[in-house]
Amino acid sequence: MPMGRPRAFDEDEAVRAAVGLFGGRAYDGVSVDDLVNHLGVHRNSLYKTFGSKRGLYLVALRRHLADDVGPLVDALAAAPDVATALRLMADADLGLLLLAAVDRAPADDEVATEVTSALAALDQAVAAALGVPADLASAITAAALGLRLRGDPEEAGAALARRLDPTT
Amino acid sequence: MPMGRPRAFDEDEAVRAAVGLFGGRAYDGVSVDDLVNHLGVHRNSLYKTFGSKRGLYLVALRRHLADDVGPLVDALAAAPDVATALRLMADADLGLLLLAAVDRAPADDEVATEVTSALAALDQAVAAALGVPADLASAITAAALGLRLRGDPEEAGAALARRLDPTT
DNA sequence: ATCAGTCAAGAACGATCGTTCCTCAACGGC
DNA sequence: GCCGTTGAGGAACGATCGTTCTTGACTGAT
């Protein structure tokens, strides 16, 4: 079977660039023209490779979860206290996950599934590392998301950690 | 000067309906057709009254802040402990504020200004009511936003409040 | 009854959206 | 060489976007 013309773009690079774009503004705020211009992928190849704008979004979201959230879960497993856990989550690049949760999950069940399981993984990591009940762990994850959403003035997270875990 | 034909719609009702729509999905997910169909205002009147879709959005956001966030600030002033404050914020209707913060504030400076000052008002109310430092107060506000963003399983907020304020 | 002024009703605008189509260039196998 | 296949390059599609225009209905004052 013939082989055809080789690709002129790096699929991994393209998906990373998509993570950056989708993590920076709302789904409907990123046009296919924006993607074509910033990804180095031509329209036709984009649809041939990812099927649709939503298909590319889902691939980008999963890459974000694998590349950014996964390592965070691993790092959390070694967190000795609440302050460390909060700082790890607040410093991590969670832009696309946060935006997906607020912007797309209500309108896209598949996105909602990915977001829910990613947050559950963070909850479990926090609960296991700190030895706290599940409900408190998910509240700590929620607090970290809230801090990130506000721009995280750094002192706020530290103050919360101090209050949550007086031993540090 | 002649008086002209009277309006067939209630401007307050229309703005409230807009708050509901914009609070339910992202700005770009609400079309002008959606607004016309759900607000009981005709296209022409909408533009005559609010200038543009963005103009209506800003009016709706300010109404949301005045009608929903303002009373919350007042209620927070009487909150005796962290648990009460968290529950007040988690139970309040903060849909549009949350969506505005994540979805529109990064792209619209005027929205960003409104969001920032609303969150600052919440911070101040929490700090004054609970007698905590400003950084911890803003962290508590952030935690409430995070809980709301996650769907707030009720136990999570309670667990966090218990840990934050052991006297309750 | 007439007139100026405001709103309702809906068609229509250009722009942009996501998507598809068509043509040509670049490859491996015969 | 040629053929089958795949990607690049753009033009072009219908649909929908936010916005405006046109027409006529309804108002209070003259």
Side-chain angles (χ1 to χ4, degrees), chain A residues 2 4-5 7-9 42 44-45:
Chain A
R5 179 174 175 167
R7 286 185 172 170
F9 69 96
H42 231 77
N44 208 349
S45 302

Short mmCIF file of all heavy atoms in Angstrom, two decimals, chain A residues 2 4-5 7-9 42 44-45, chain D residues 4-12:
data_model
loop_
_atom_site.label_atom_id
_atom_site.label_comp_id
_atom_site.label_asym_id
_atom_site.label_seq_id
_atom_site.Cartn_x
_atom_site.Cartn_y
_atom_site.Cartn_z
N PRO A 2 0.58 2.19 -0.88
CA PRO A 2 1.38 3.43 -0.98
C PRO A 2 1.38 4.21 0.31
O PRO A 2 0.49 4.08 1.14
CB PRO A 2 0.69 4.20 -2.12
CG PRO A 2 -0.06 3.17 -2.90
CD PRO A 2 -0.44 2.11 -1.93
N GLY A 4 2.05 7.89 0.70
CA GLY A 4 1.52 9.26 0.74
C GLY A 4 2.50 10.28 1.24
O GLY A 4 3.56 9.95 1.81
N ARG A 5 2.14 11.52 1.07
CA ARG A 5 3.00 12.63 1.46
C ARG A 5 3.15 12.73 2.97
O ARG A 5 2.18 12.57 3.71
CB ARG A 5 2.36 13.93 0.93
CG ARG A 5 3.11 15.19 1.28
CD ARG A 5 2.43 16.34 0.57
NE ARG A 5 3.02 17.62 0.93
CZ ARG A 5 2.78 18.75 0.27
NH1 ARG A 5 1.96 18.73 -0.78
NH2 ARG A 5 3.32 19.86 0.64
N ARG A 7 3.68 14.30 6.75
CA ARG A 7 3.13 15.48 7.42
C ARG A 7 4.17 16.57 7.60
O ARG A 7 5.35 16.29 7.80
CB ARG A 7 2.60 15.09 8.80
CG ARG A 7 1.30 14.33 8.73
CD ARG A 7 0.77 14.07 10.13
NE ARG A 7 -0.57 13.51 10.08
CZ ARG A 7 -1.21 13.00 11.13
NH1 ARG A 7 -0.60 12.99 12.30
NH2 ARG A 7 -2.42 12.54 11.02
N ALA A 8 3.70 17.79 7.53
CA ALA A 8 4.61 18.93 7.71
C ALA A 8 4.47 19.53 9.10
O ALA A 8 5.06 20.57 9.39
CB ALA A 8 4.34 19.99 6.64
N PHE A 9 3.69 18.88 9.98
CA PHE A 9 3.51 19.43 11.34
C PHE A 9 3.69 18.32 12.36
O PHE A 9 3.54 17.14 12.06
CB PHE A 9 2.13 20.06 11.48
CG PHE A 9 1.00 19.07 11.48
CD1 PHE A 9 0.47 18.59 12.67
CD2 PHE A 9 0.46 18.63 10.28
CE1 PHE A 9 -0.57 17.67 12.66
CE2 PHE A 9 -0.58 17.71 10.27
CZ PHE A 9 -1.10 17.22 11.45
N HIS A 42 -2.78 22.83 8.88
CA HIS A 42 -3.74 23.42 7.97
C HIS A 42 -5.13 22.85 8.22
O HIS A 42 -5.30 21.77 8.74
CB HIS A 42 -3.30 23.23 6.53
CG HIS A 42 -3.34 24.54 5.78
ND1 HIS A 42 -2.37 25.49 5.92
CD2 HIS A 42 -4.27 25.07 4.94
CE1 HIS A 42 -2.68 26.54 5.19
NE2 HIS A 42 -3.84 26.30 4.60
N ASN A 44 -7.43 21.53 6.54
CA ASN A 44 -7.74 20.18 6.08
C ASN A 44 -7.12 19.12 6.99
O ASN A 44 -7.78 18.14 7.36
CB ASN A 44 -7.23 20.02 4.65
CG ASN A 44 -8.05 19.02 3.88
OD1 ASN A 44 -8.86 18.30 4.46
ND2 ASN A 44 -7.85 18.96 2.59
N SER A 45 -5.87 19.32 7.35
CA SER A 45 -5.18 18.35 8.19
C SER A 45 -5.80 18.32 9.58
O SER A 45 -5.86 17.27 10.23
CB SER A 45 -3.70 18.70 8.28
OG SER A 45 -3.13 18.73 6.98
P DG D 4 -4.32 3.54 -9.85
OP1 DG D 4 -5.26 2.45 -10.24
OP2 DG D 4 -4.58 4.93 -10.29
"O5'" DG D 4 -4.19 3.53 -8.26
"C5'" DG D 4 -3.52 2.43 -7.63
"C4'" DG D 4 -3.21 2.76 -6.17
"O4'" DG D 4 -2.09 3.67 -6.12
"C3'" DG D 4 -4.35 3.45 -5.42
"O3'" DG D 4 -4.42 2.94 -4.10
"C2'" DG D 4 -3.95 4.92 -5.42
"C1'" DG D 4 -2.44 4.85 -5.42
N9 DG D 4 -1.79 5.95 -6.11
C8 DG D 4 -2.16 6.51 -7.31
N7 DG D 4 -1.39 7.48 -7.71
C5 DG D 4 -0.44 7.59 -6.69
C6 DG D 4 0.65 8.48 -6.55
O6 DG D 4 1.02 9.37 -7.34
N1 DG D 4 1.36 8.26 -5.37
C2 DG D 4 1.05 7.29 -4.45
N2 DG D 4 1.83 7.23 -3.39
N3 DG D 4 0.02 6.44 -4.57
C4 DG D 4 -0.68 6.66 -5.70
P DT D 5 -5.61 3.40 -3.12
OP1 DT D 5 -6.00 2.22 -2.31
OP2 DT D 5 -6.62 4.11 -3.93
"O5'" DT D 5 -4.89 4.44 -2.16
"C5'" DT D 5 -3.71 4.01 -1.45
"C4'" DT D 5 -3.03 5.21 -0.83
"O4'" DT D 5 -2.43 6.05 -1.85
"C3'" DT D 5 -3.95 6.13 -0.02
"O3'" DT D 5 -3.46 6.18 1.30
"C2'" DT D 5 -3.84 7.48 -0.72
"C1'" DT D 5 -2.48 7.38 -1.39
N1 DT D 5 -2.25 8.29 -2.54
C2 DT D 5 -1.17 9.15 -2.52
O2 DT D 5 -0.38 9.20 -1.61
N3 DT D 5 -1.05 9.95 -3.63
C4 DT D 5 -1.89 9.97 -4.74
O4 DT D 5 -1.68 10.73 -5.68
C5 DT D 5 -3.00 9.06 -4.68
C7 DT D 5 -3.98 8.99 -5.82
C6 DT D 5 -3.14 8.26 -3.59
P DT D 6 -4.43 6.62 2.54
OP1 DT D 6 -4.31 5.62 3.62
OP2 DT D 6 -5.75 6.97 1.98
"O5'" DT D 6 -3.72 7.95 3.03
"C5'" DT D 6 -2.31 7.93 3.35
"C4'" DT D 6 -1.76 9.33 3.25
"O4'" DT D 6 -1.68 9.74 1.87
"C3'" DT D 6 -2.62 10.39 3.95
"O3'" DT D 6 -1.87 11.04 4.95
"C2'" DT D 6 -3.03 11.35 2.84
"C1'" DT D 6 -1.93 11.11 1.81
N1 DT D 6 -2.33 11.46 0.43
C2 DT D 6 -1.53 12.31 -0.31
O2 DT D 6 -0.50 12.78 0.11
N3 DT D 6 -1.99 12.59 -1.59
C4 DT D 6 -3.14 12.10 -2.16
O4 DT D 6 -3.46 12.41 -3.30
C5 DT D 6 -3.93 11.23 -1.34
C7 DT D 6 -5.21 10.64 -1.87
C6 DT D 6 -3.49 10.96 -0.09
P DG D 7 -2.59 11.99 6.02
OP1 DG D 7 -2.10 11.68 7.37
OP2 DG D 7 -4.04 12.02 5.72
"O5'" DG D 7 -1.96 13.40 5.58
"C5'" DG D 7 -0.55 13.58 5.65
"C4'" DG D 7 -0.14 14.83 4.91
"O4'" DG D 7 -0.54 14.71 3.53
"C3'" DG D 7 -0.80 16.11 5.44
"O3'" DG D 7 0.18 17.13 5.58
"C2'" DG D 7 -1.83 16.45 4.38
"C1'" DG D 7 -1.20 15.88 3.12
N9 DG D 7 -2.18 15.51 2.11
C8 DG D 7 -3.19 14.59 2.23
N7 DG D 7 -3.91 14.48 1.14
C5 DG D 7 -3.36 15.39 0.26
C6 DG D 7 -3.71 15.72 -1.08
O6 DG D 7 -4.63 15.26 -1.75
N1 DG D 7 -2.88 16.70 -1.61
C2 DG D 7 -1.83 17.29 -0.94
N2 DG D 7 -1.15 18.22 -1.60
N3 DG D 7 -1.48 16.99 0.30
C4 DG D 7 -2.28 16.04 0.84
P DA D 8 -0.15 18.53 6.17
OP1 DA D 8 0.96 18.90 7.04
OP2 DA D 8 -1.52 18.51 6.67
"O5'" DA D 8 -0.08 19.47 4.87
"C5'" DA D 8 1.15 19.55 4.15
"C4'" DA D 8 1.05 20.57 3.03
"O4'" DA D 8 0.12 20.09 2.04
"C3'" DA D 8 0.58 21.95 3.45
"O3'" DA D 8 1.35 22.92 2.73
"C2'" DA D 8 -0.89 21.97 3.05
"C1'" DA D 8 -0.91 21.03 1.83
N9 DA D 8 -2.14 20.25 1.69
C8 DA D 8 -2.71 19.45 2.63
N7 DA D 8 -3.81 18.86 2.21
C5 DA D 8 -3.95 19.30 0.90
C6 DA D 8 -4.92 19.04 -0.08
N6 DA D 8 -5.96 18.22 0.09
N1 DA D 8 -4.77 19.64 -1.29
C2 DA D 8 -3.72 20.46 -1.47
N3 DA D 8 -2.75 20.79 -0.61
C4 DA D 8 -2.93 20.17 0.57
P DG D 9 1.27 24.44 3.13
OP1 DG D 9 2.58 25.05 2.80
OP2 DG D 9 0.73 24.54 4.50
"O5'" DG D 9 0.18 25.04 2.15
"C5'" DG D 9 0.39 24.94 0.74
"C4'" DG D 9 -0.86 25.41 0.03
"O4'" DG D 9 -1.85 24.35 0.07
"C3'" DG D 9 -1.54 26.64 0.65
"O3'" DG D 9 -1.56 27.67 -0.32
"C2'" DG D 9 -2.94 26.15 1.02
"C1'" DG D 9 -3.11 24.97 0.08
N9 DG D 9 -4.07 23.95 0.53
C8 DG D 9 -4.11 23.34 1.75
N7 DG D 9 -5.07 22.46 1.87
C5 DG D 9 -5.71 22.50 0.63
C6 DG D 9 -6.83 21.78 0.15
O6 DG D 9 -7.51 20.92 0.74
N1 DG D 9 -7.16 22.12 -1.16
C2 DG D 9 -6.49 23.06 -1.91
N2 DG D 9 -6.94 23.26 -3.14
N3 DG D 9 -5.43 23.74 -1.47
C4 DG D 9 -5.11 23.42 -0.20
P DG D 10 -1.57 29.24 0.11
OP1 DG D 10 -0.57 29.98 -0.66
OP2 DG D 10 -1.56 29.29 1.59
"O5'" DG D 10 -3.01 29.70 -0.36
"C5'" DG D 10 -4.08 28.92 0.10
"C4'" DG D 10 -5.14 28.89 -0.94
"O4'" DG D 10 -5.74 27.59 -0.93
"C3'" DG D 10 -6.24 29.90 -0.63
"O3'" DG D 10 -6.87 30.32 -1.81
"C2'" DG D 10 -7.18 29.06 0.23
"C1'" DG D 10 -7.08 27.70 -0.47
N9 DG D 10 -7.36 26.60 0.43
C8 DG D 10 -6.81 26.36 1.67
N7 DG D 10 -7.29 25.29 2.24
C5 DG D 10 -8.21 24.80 1.33
C6 DG D 10 -9.04 23.67 1.40
O6 DG D 10 -9.16 22.84 2.30
N1 DG D 10 -9.83 23.52 0.24
C2 DG D 10 -9.80 24.38 -0.83
N2 DG D 10 -10.61 24.10 -1.84
N3 DG D 10 -9.01 25.45 -0.90
C4 DG D 10 -8.26 25.60 0.21
P DA D 11 -7.72 31.72 -1.73
OP1 DA D 11 -6.92 32.73 -2.45
OP2 DA D 11 -8.11 31.96 -0.33
"O5'" DA D 11 -9.03 31.38 -2.55
"C5'" DA D 11 -8.94 30.54 -3.69
"C4'" DA D 11 -10.21 29.71 -3.84
"O4'" DA D 11 -10.23 28.68 -2.82
"C3'" DA D 11 -11.50 30.51 -3.66
"O3'" DA D 11 -12.43 30.15 -4.68
"C2'" DA D 11 -11.99 30.12 -2.27
"C1'" DA D 11 -11.48 28.70 -2.14
N9 DA D 11 -11.23 28.26 -0.77
C8 DA D 11 -10.41 28.86 0.14
N7 DA D 11 -10.37 28.25 1.31
C5 DA D 11 -11.24 27.18 1.14
C6 DA D 11 -11.65 26.16 2.02
N6 DA D 11 -11.21 26.03 3.27
N1 DA D 11 -12.54 25.24 1.54
C2 DA D 11 -12.98 25.37 0.28
N3 DA D 11 -12.66 26.29 -0.63
C4 DA D 11 -11.78 27.17 -0.13
P DA D 12 -13.78 30.95 -4.86
OP1 DA D 12 -14.15 30.83 -6.28
OP2 DA D 12 -13.62 32.29 -4.25
"O5'" DA D 12 -14.80 30.13 -3.99
"C5'" DA D 12 -15.00 28.74 -4.29
"C4'" DA D 12 -15.91 28.14 -3.22
"O4'" DA D 12 -15.16 27.99 -2.01
"C3'" DA D 12 -17.11 29.02 -2.87
"O3'" DA D 12 -18.31 28.41 -3.36
"C2'" DA D 12 -17.09 29.10 -1.35
"C1'" DA D 12 -16.06 28.07 -0.94
N9 DA D 12 -15.29 28.42 0.25
C8 DA D 12 -14.51 29.52 0.44
N7 DA D 12 -13.94 29.57 1.62
C5 DA D 12 -14.39 28.42 2.25
C6 DA D 12 -14.15 27.88 3.53
N6 DA D 12 -13.37 28.46 4.44
N1 DA D 12 -14.76 26.72 3.84
C2 DA D 12 -15.55 26.14 2.94
N3 DA D 12 -15.84 26.54 1.71
C4 DA D 12 -15.23 27.69 1.43
#
